[in-house]
């Protein structure tokens, strides 16, 4: 993430340190992506469904590129291409639509919704997902921007550092690929986690007065990812989960690690069993910490009465996580903050 942009964004908003009071309707999303929250909130206010709210909220981020981690022109992979992952969940029916490694289509969250509404499938990937999107009427266009070209060419000039290969030849900590597997095991001292904070995501939960619940995610994944890499965002129970009878959750951070623990699913099940949203979020983070103490990640949780909370793993350079909330308490989205543990 562009730290400077984030700091500017945060200083332009008022941080409110409070526990989530329950009230409906509710929109909550990861990171200080205020316009996305506002777009979702105004969708609900004008009579849109919770699915409409999540779709418009995430689409706003895709259009504005939020901090560069969502939408076109960010996080180029090892070939310089930007590809998108997104998911949407209907917590009433448990219908889910998702796309991963989507190419050449800007509005990934709406393609995910089309997968949900116009197929019997849950997840479409890669080139085929793009063909599906075009058939559904989405416009194919280049997702490359001057900014993504710049990031990519700097990376090439710097011997393709960092990258996400290990136990390969040539030495990935010094050289570009292509790589072949290295037979003799040698200690790989390179820290795998927390070396980049480029892998953020919008994850959003919307809950209306009748208790309808939806959640969604959208991201362009990790900068310099190995082509084909899919993170946690489009994976149900990992990037987000929603069940109108229990609650919703959405996660952000080091998706490669986080998706191994289905943190959003875990948090929702804990809320179903009666856990407070903050406690549910904390337990989901703790579960990952047990194996990966240095992972970068955060999660937001909301229960069916509109109470909410968040948690994050404290590591060097990340001690507080910011997220946005809209509910009847305020006319404008509120910036919330939680101390990592
Ligand atoms: C949010 O929306 C306002 C008004 O449309 C716009 O001026 C601003 O640039 C947007 N913020 C971001 C971060 O895109
Ligand atoms: C992108 O770069 C090209 C060539 O350097 C330049 O002509 C163009 O104006 C730039 N576009 C933007 C949006 O900055
Ligand atoms: C949601 O969480 C709040 C705060 O812990 C709690 O008071 C409330 O009873 C919970 N709602 C449900 C439906 O469990």
């Amino acid at each position: 993430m562009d730290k400077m942009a984030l700091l500017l964004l945060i200083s332009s908003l008022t941080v409110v340190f409070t526990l989530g009071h329950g009230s409906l309707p509710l929109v909550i999303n990861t990171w200080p992506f205020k316009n996305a929250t506002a777009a979702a909130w105004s969708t609900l206010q004008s009579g849109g469904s919770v699915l409409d709210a999540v779709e418009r909220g995430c689409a706003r981020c895709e259009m504005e590129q939020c901090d560069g981690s969502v939408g076109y022109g960010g996080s180029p992979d090892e070939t310089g291409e930007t590809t998108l992952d997104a998911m949407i969940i209907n917590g009433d029916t448990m219908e889910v639509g998702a796309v991963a490694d989507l190419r050449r289509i800007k509005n990934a969250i709406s393609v995910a919704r089309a997968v949900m509404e116009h197929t019997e499938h849950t997840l479409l990937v890669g080139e085929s997902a793009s063909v599906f999107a075009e058939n559904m009427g989405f416009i194919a266009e280049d997702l490359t921007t001057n900014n993504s070209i710049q990031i990519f060419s700097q990376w090439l000039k710097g011997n393709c550092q960092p990258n996400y290969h290990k136990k390969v030849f040539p030495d990935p900590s010094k050289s570009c690929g292509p790589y072949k597997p290295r037979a003799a095991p040698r200690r790989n001292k390179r820290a795998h986690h927390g070396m980049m904070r480029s892998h953020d995501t919008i994850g959003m939960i919307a809950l209306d007065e009748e208790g309808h619940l939806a959640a969604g995610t959208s991201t362009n994944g990790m900068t310099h990812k190995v082509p084909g890499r899919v993170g946690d965002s489009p994976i149900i129970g990992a990037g987000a989960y929603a069940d109108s009878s229990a609650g919703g959750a959405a996660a952000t951070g080091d998706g490669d690690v986080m998706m191994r623990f289905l943190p959003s699913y875990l948090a929702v099940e804990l809320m179903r069993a009666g856990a407070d949203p903050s406690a549910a979020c904390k337990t989901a983070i703790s579960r990952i910490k047990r194996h990966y103490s240095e992972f970068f990640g955060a999660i937001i949780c909301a229960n069916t009465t509109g109470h909410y909370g968040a948690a994050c793993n404290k590591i060097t350079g990340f001690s507080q996580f910011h997220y946005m909330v809209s509910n009847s308490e305020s006319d404008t989205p509120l910036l919330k903050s939680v101390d990592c543990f």
Side-chain angles (χ1 to χ4, degrees), residues 144-209:
T144 304
T145 59
N146 283 1
N147 187 44
S148 67
I149 291 170
Q150 168 85 10
I151 296 169
F152 177 57
S153 63
Q154 285 295 112
W155 179 77
L156 281 180
K157 266 186 227 153
N159 294 321
C160 306
Q161 302 303 312
N163 62 69
Y164 299 97
H165 297 268
K166 61 180 185 184
K167 297 179 191 161
V168 291
F169 180 84
D171 184 346
S173 70
K174 296 191 177 71
S175 311
C176 292
Y179 307 104
K180 290 192 176 350
R182 179 156 49 72
R186 185 161 27 105
R187 266 184 71 82
N188 196 331
K189 288 209 299 201
R190 207 153 54 107
H192 172 82
H193 313 294
M195 68 182 178
M196 296 183 66
R197 293 292 139 65
S198 66
H199 31 291
D200 304 323
T201 301
I202 184 163
M204 178 179 276
I205 306 162
L207 187 57
D208 71 11
E209 269 158 328

Side-chain angles (χ1 to χ4, degrees), residues 9 32-36 60 64-67:
L9 196 56
F33 301 149
K34 183 182 181 183
N35 287 355
R60 180 71 184 244
E64 288 179 351
Q65 304 167 292
C66 279
D67 62 2

Side-chain angles (χ1 to χ4, degrees), residues 76-141:
D77 69 15
E78 286 190 335
T79 67
E81 184 174 4
T82 295
T83 62
L84 307 181
D85 295 347
M87 173 172 64
I88 193 162
I89 309 157
N90 180 339
D92 294 346
T93 61
M94 297 315 291
E95 288 169 293
V96 178
V99 286
D101 195 22
L102 179 71
R103 311 175 67 185
R104 299 188 306 278
I105 311 284
K106 284 185 177 174
N107 186 198
I109 186 79
S110 297
V111 182
R113 188 167 181 180
V115 171
M116 179 172 79
E117 292 182 345
H118 300 291
T119 79
E120 299 287 344
H121 300 312
T122 296
L123 172 61
L124 295 183
V125 306
E127 197 58 43
S128 307
S130 308
V131 171
F132 167 80
E134 283 190 70
N135 289 338
M136 289 290 116
F138 292 87
I139 309 293
E141 53 197 318

